[in-house]
Amino acid sequence: MGQKELHYPEHSRDKEEVNAQIKKMVTRLNLIRDLLFEIKANTPLGKTVKTLLNLFLSKGKGRSPDLAGISCHELANLIGITPAELKESLEYLQQQGIICVKLDKG
């Protein structure tokens, strides 16, 4: 087998920029690892991620589900967690830049 040529992100030759991009990728991989652990441990966050992934996958490539018509309480019941756990999970996922959510105060 021939050795594949490594391509640096955006073909940058700037060592600092490459290092920053590598750190960013490592951070993202660590987040993915942590979320997979949460899914495996069946925590409220893991259940939320698993349900959201299933909803996104069911919509097909490039389309995202519109959850505007479902209440936080209904979605929590669907997932099998409390509304407070759902709210905490959604806020965490938003802080991590994974989702964009607008939670009603009511």
Side-chain angles (χ1 to χ4, degrees):
M1 277 192 193
Q3 195 174 24
K4 290 186 178 179
E5 184 179 324
L6 294 176
H7 296 281
Y8 291 104
E10 299 176 16
H11 304 288
S12 174
R13 300 272 185 224
D14 181 15
K15 187 176 180 179
E16 288 180 21
E17 183 180 341
V18 171
N19 286 339
Q21 291 172 347
I22 290 171
K23 285 180 184 178
K24 187 175 182 179
M25 287 191 300
V26 168
T27 300
R28 287 179 182 171
L29 287 172
N30 285 336
L31 175 60
I32 292 168
R33 180 202 60 207
D34 293 346
L35 291 175
L36 288 171
F37 172 79
E38 295 289 338
I39 291 169
K40 184 172 178 143
N42 212 28
T43 65
L45 175 58
K47 290 178 181 181
T48 302
V49 170
K50 184 177 178 180
T51 301
L52 291 176
L53 281 173
N54 284 327
L55 288 169
F56 279 96
L57 291 173
S58 72
K59 283 294 181 181
K61 188 176 182 178
R63 299 182 62 208
S64 44
D66 181 11
L67 300 177
I70 187 169
S71 73
C72 190
H73 185 75
E74 291 170 328
L75 186 56
N77 284 338
L78 175 71
I79 296 171
I81 60 177
T82 67
E85 291 170 328
L86 175 61
K87 195 172 196 176
E88 184 178 319
S89 296
L90 294 176
E91 287 172 353
Y92 174 78
L93 293 171
Q94 183 164 326
Q95 288 172 351
Q96 298 303 315
I98 296 173
I99 63 171
C100 182
V101 65
K102 179 180 176 185
L103 295 173
D104 290 332
K105 300 297 179 194

